[in-house]
Amino acid sequence: SMQCFPSLVLALSSLLGALALLQLSLYLRVPSRYGKHEERLCRPRGRLPARCAWFLQELPSFLVPALLLALRSPPRLEPLGCRLLCCLFCWHYFYRTFIYPFFTRGRPFPLQLLFFGTLFCIYNGFLQGYYLIYCAEYPNDWCTDLRFTSGLLLFLLGMGINIHSDLLLRQLRKPGEVTYKIPQGGLFTYISGANYFGEIVEWFGFAIATWSLPAFAFAFFTLCCIGPRAYHHHRYYLKTFTDYPKSRKALIPFVF
Ligand code: NDX
């Protein structure tokens, strides 16, 4: 049966960090090509409806850790923190897999990115789940540790912001519409990337709550992946809408 190999965790986390830097260098200048940044003329075919694409792509991030948690033998009953934290991760991806895709009004998603996105979700789902279920050691009172409680609070706050902001984006369109409008309300009052800001806060909260290398690597990856995307969204809006609110920033309220 499976056991903890610390060197495997170190290797996979380092690779995740390296992928984050690769993304940063790739996507600082040009955005990743989906949604409003897709070059429409290049690939007329090779897309999947947003609903299927997001479902398929995010599913492994729910399934892999959920299975690791359910199938671990012998079952790991202590410490409680491990299972709680693994459930937190699965909870986010339950939302992202089974709820978000069914309400999205996004345009079709490129197959090529879907492929890499799926690979990424398998990789990260395995790393986070394997670490929490087979490797993590927490004292039995971890649930009252300041890192756990403050991290959990940030996680919940970030998740709330992310879900609320994605809801506001969705309401900009009627079913079947594919046009872009100026997002209004919530944190969009201050930043163009309100949903991304929420997601980033969420994963840094998770990293603090787990106090682990894999989770910090994933939070850093998230920052490098959707941070630049928030900046490109912001530039797109400024270019497209002459009446775009002047005081709005890209990712961090009042700052950047
Ligand atoms: N999926 C994370 N890298 C990604 C998919 C793409 O969950 O090759 C990372 C995730 C993947 C990426 C994933 C991993 C890395 C990949 C990348 C592609 C290339 C890259 C594979 C897995 C890669 C290397 C080199 C390392 C191998 O039509 P539309 O779609 O634009 O409509 C949008 C709509 N909308 C508007 N509607 C009306 N008016 C407006 N002004 C509108 N603005 C937007 O709202 C969408 O339907 C919806 C949301 O759009 P948008 O663009 O704001 O968000 P989106 O980027 O689609 O993300 C959706 C949610 C969001 O909550 C975000 O926080 C979360 O997913 N997310 C997204 C990406 C990654 C991630 C979280 C994470 O890292 N944690």
Side-chain angles (χ1 to χ4, degrees):
S1 74
M2 231 187 303
Q3 62 188 85
C4 179
F5 295 103
S7 52
L8 178 66
V9 172
L10 182 63
L12 293 180
S13 304
S14 312
L15 183 58
L16 189 55
L19 279 178
L21 291 174
L22 173 70
Q23 295 228 114
L24 198 61
S25 67
L26 282 178
Y27 297 132
L28 263 183
R29 296 188 62 205
V30 268
S32 47
R33 299 289 181 198
Y34 68 93
K36 58 172 74 70
H37 305 295
E38 189 173 358
E39 288 164 313
R40 313 235 19 129
L41 298 173
C42 286
R43 277 189 305 262
R45 265 176 297 202
R47 299 206 208 98
L48 215 62
R51 191 160 301 186
C52 313
W54 281 90
F55 175 80
L56 290 174
Q57 170 178 270
E58 309 289 317
L59 182 63
S61 277
F62 170 76
L63 222 50
V64 174
L67 285 177
L68 284 173
L69 181 61
L71 300 180
R72 186 189 197 272
S73 61
R76 187 176 188 184
L77 297 176
E78 285 191 77
L80 176 66
C82 295
R83 280 169 297 144
L84 227 52
L85 288 161
C86 191
C87 285
L88 223 52
F89 185 85
C90 290
W91 184 31
H92 169 91
Y93 280 101
F94 181 85
Y95 162 74
R96 182 69 76 226
T97 305
F98 296 101
I99 301 175
Y100 176 80
F102 295 95
F103 292 103
T104 183
R105 290 173 187 169
R107 49 176 71 178
F109 193 88
L111 271 175
Q112 197 189 356
L113 297 187
L114 170 66
F115 176 75
F116 288 117
T118 308
L119 283 186
F120 174 78
C121 287
I122 297 172
Y123 184 96
N124 190 49
F126 175 79
L127 174 58
Q128 306 301 329
Y130 174 74
Y131 173 79
L132 286 171
I133 302 303
Y134 286 92
C135 299
E137 306 274 358
Y138 295 108
N140 277 324
D141 60 355
W142 182 249
C143 300
T144 56
D145 190 289
L146 185 62
R147 282 163 290 184
F148 181 88
T149 49
S150 62
L152 178 65
L153 212 69
L154 276 180
F155 178 89
L156 294 174
L157 182 74
M159 192 173 189
I161 293 172
N162 178 259
I163 292 177
H164 179 234
S165 308
D166 275 335
L167 180 90
L168 292 173
L169 284 176
R170 186 162 68 240
Q171 288 170 347
L172 292 173
R173 289 177 179 167
K174 295 189 188 69
E177 240 181 359
V178 285
T179 51
Y180 291 106
K181 294 172 192 142
I182 301 180
Q184 304 285 2
L187 272 190
F188 283 113
T189 314
Y190 307 102
I191 44 178
S192 302
N195 54 341
Y196 294 152
F197 175 80
E199 181 107 17
I200 290 166
V201 168
E202 190 179 347
W203 292 119
F204 274 98
F206 182 74
I208 294 168
T210 58
W211 207 252
S212 72
L213 183 65
F216 274 104
F218 176 47
F220 180 60
F221 180 92
T222 299
L223 180 67
C224 295
C225 175
I226 58 185
R229 214 171 143 75
Y231 163 77
H232 290 294
H233 278 14
H234 189 65
R235 285 208 357 193
Y236 170 92
Y237 288 137
L238 288 174
K239 207 175 64 189
T240 311
F241 304 106
T242 48
D243 57 340
Y244 198 69
K246 292 279 174 302
S247 61
R248 203 178 286 190
K249 302 290 181 190
L251 184 63
I252 301 165
F254 311 114
V255 180
F256 170 72

